[in-house]
């Protein structure tokens, strides 16, 4: 029978974790800061990330991800985002708010497990009909988890096809994920995300990503989800710096 008595000391906690299968999922958080730079090197904004998750069976799994976006001279965030991964790492629930543009994007699920999109911008409201998510569909920051899930395949030079949701358009598009450099000097990997359709290629430039050997995203180059104007988003080079990392691996 698994011991359920009080654990007042760290030793007792370790013992309980070792002998009780139900206690093997341990809380483990990740924190990092991203600094977005423009073409001339100016700091555009900062991203402050907190991922709350757990170590389970030797693997780190996030449950909740919050992001605060700060201007270079600002203390209060000008935008916020919350993601919940309870249903899928690739297709999280999303609540993204950019108050300066009076804009809010919600991606969730209904009682039939269909994905739902609600997008409001200014006085305009656009609600998309529910749609069943397919296994190859990716939402928002799910691309980061797709890279880690596909790590070995990418290292072998095998590309990964997926569909990425453009929520404000209410549809998804075909993209290709492949390793640009399967092994970097630090043992990491550089990957690129390219649109596949010829129309999409005309509208969307490839996104370049760099990961370290632990599977942590250290650099993002491309179109962001932060508005520069009412009609256009920032293109930026975002460099990420870890502040806290789980004590279990990000990669399998």
């Amino acid at each position: 029978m698994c011991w359920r008595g009080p654990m007042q000391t760290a030793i007792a906690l370790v013992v309980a974790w070792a002998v009780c299968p139900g206690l093997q999922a341990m809380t483990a958080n990740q924190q990092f800061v991203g600094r977005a730079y423009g073409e001339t090197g100016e700091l555009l904004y900062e991203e402050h990330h907190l991922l709350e998750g757990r170590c389970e069976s030797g693997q780190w799994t996030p449950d909740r991800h919050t992001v605060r976006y700060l201007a270079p001279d600002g203390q209060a965030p000008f935008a916020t985002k919350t993601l919940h991964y309870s249903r899928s790492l690739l297709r999280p629930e999303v609540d993204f708010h950019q108050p300066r543009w009076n804009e809010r994007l919600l991606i969730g699920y209904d009682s039939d497990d269909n994905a739902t999109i609600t997008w409001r911008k200014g006085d305009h409201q656009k609600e998309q009909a529910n749609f069943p998510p397919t296994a190859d569909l990716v939402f928002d920051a799910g691309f980061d988890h797709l890279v880690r899930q596909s790590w070995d395949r990418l290292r072998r030079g095998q590309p990964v096809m997926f569909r990425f949701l453009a929520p404000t358009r209410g549809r998804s598009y075909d993209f290709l994920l492949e390793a640009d450099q399967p092994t970097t000097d630090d043992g990491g990997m550089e990957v690129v995300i390219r649109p596949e359709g010829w129309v999409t290629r005309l509208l969307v430039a490839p996104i370049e990503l760099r990961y370290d050997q632990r599977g942590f995203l250290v650099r993002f180059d491309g179109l962001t989800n932060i508005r520069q104007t009412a009609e256009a988003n920032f293109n930026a080079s975002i460099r990420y710096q870890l502040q806290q990392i789980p004590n279990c691996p990000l990669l399998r």
Side-chain angles (χ1 to χ4, degrees):
M1 181 176 179
C2 188
W3 177 60
R4 299 289 183 181
M7 293 178 286
Q8 302 296 329
T9 66
I11 294 177
L13 180 60
V14 171
V15 171
W17 182 85
V19 301
C20 301
L23 295 178
Q24 290 183 5
M26 306 293 289
T27 299
N29 297 339
Q30 183 185 65
Q31 292 189 69
F32 56 93
V33 174
R35 294 179 175 86
Y37 296 91
E39 292 182 358
T40 59
E42 75 279 18
L43 179 62
L44 302 174
Y45 60 87
E46 291 186 355
E47 305 175 356
H48 292 251
H49 295 255
L50 170 62
L51 285 84
E52 300 167 272
R54 63 193 187 281
C55 291
E56 189 171 16
S57 300
Q59 176 70 35
W60 183 71
T61 302
D63 297 314
R64 185 173 185 266
H65 183 176
T66 56
V67 191
R68 297 181 301 119
Y69 299 88
L70 277 67
D73 58 352
Q75 297 297 320
F78 65 81
T80 59
K81 182 164 64 173
T82 303
L83 303 99
H84 292 275
Y85 294 101
S86 58
R87 291 176 182 264
S88 171
L89 290 178
L90 304 185
R91 294 173 290 279
E93 296 176 79
V94 180
D95 184 350
F96 184 36
H97 192 199
Q98 298 192 73
R100 66 167 58 171
W101 307 107
N102 194 18
E103 181 174 15
R104 190 160 201 167
L105 171 67
L106 301 171
I107 305 175
Y109 292 87
D110 63 16
S111 57
D112 295 321
D113 285 335
N114 291 316
T116 62
I117 301 172
T118 303
W119 175 49
R120 297 184 180 91
K121 183 171 180 285
D123 296 330
H124 175 73
Q125 178 172 330
K126 182 178 182 181
E127 294 192 23
Q128 300 294 335
N130 298 0
F131 61 94
T134 56
D136 63 346
L137 186 61
V138 176
F139 300 170
D140 202 271
F143 79 85
D144 184 39
H145 302 289
L146 177 64
V147 171
R148 280 189 286 274
Q149 289 182 7
S150 309
W151 193 265
D152 291 339
R153 180 175 175 177
L154 292 169
R155 278 209 183 280
R156 292 193 299 267
Q158 300 173 352
V160 177
M161 293 288 299
F162 69 100
R163 294 188 65 83
F164 193 74
L165 180 67
T168 59
R169 295 180 180 270
R171 59 171 298 182
S172 59
Y173 297 89
D174 288 325
F175 280 82
L176 180 72
L177 170 66
E178 60 183 345
D180 197 30
Q181 290 188 38
T183 304
T184 60
D185 292 340
D186 63 356
M189 180 164 50
E190 291 186 1
V191 301
V192 61
I193 297 176
R194 306 180 194 276
E196 277 293 279
W198 69 271
V199 174
T200 317
R201 291 178 187 176
L202 296 176
L203 300 175
V204 181
I207 293 174
E208 298 176 355
L209 311 169
R210 183 183 178 96
Y211 287 80
D212 68 13
Q213 75 280 5
R214 298 167 295 187
F216 175 71
L217 177 62
V218 295
R219 186 161 181 163
F220 171 106
D221 292 287
L223 185 66
T224 75
N225 58 0
I226 295 298
R227 290 198 178 276
Q228 181 176 14
T229 68
E231 303 301 329
N233 291 6
F234 281 108
N235 270 286
S237 176
I238 308 176
R239 301 164 195 175
Y240 295 98
Q241 183 175 8
L242 272 170
Q243 295 179 318
Q244 179 183 0
I245 191 169
N247 57 357
C248 55
L250 305 181
L251 296 170
R252 291 189 182 279

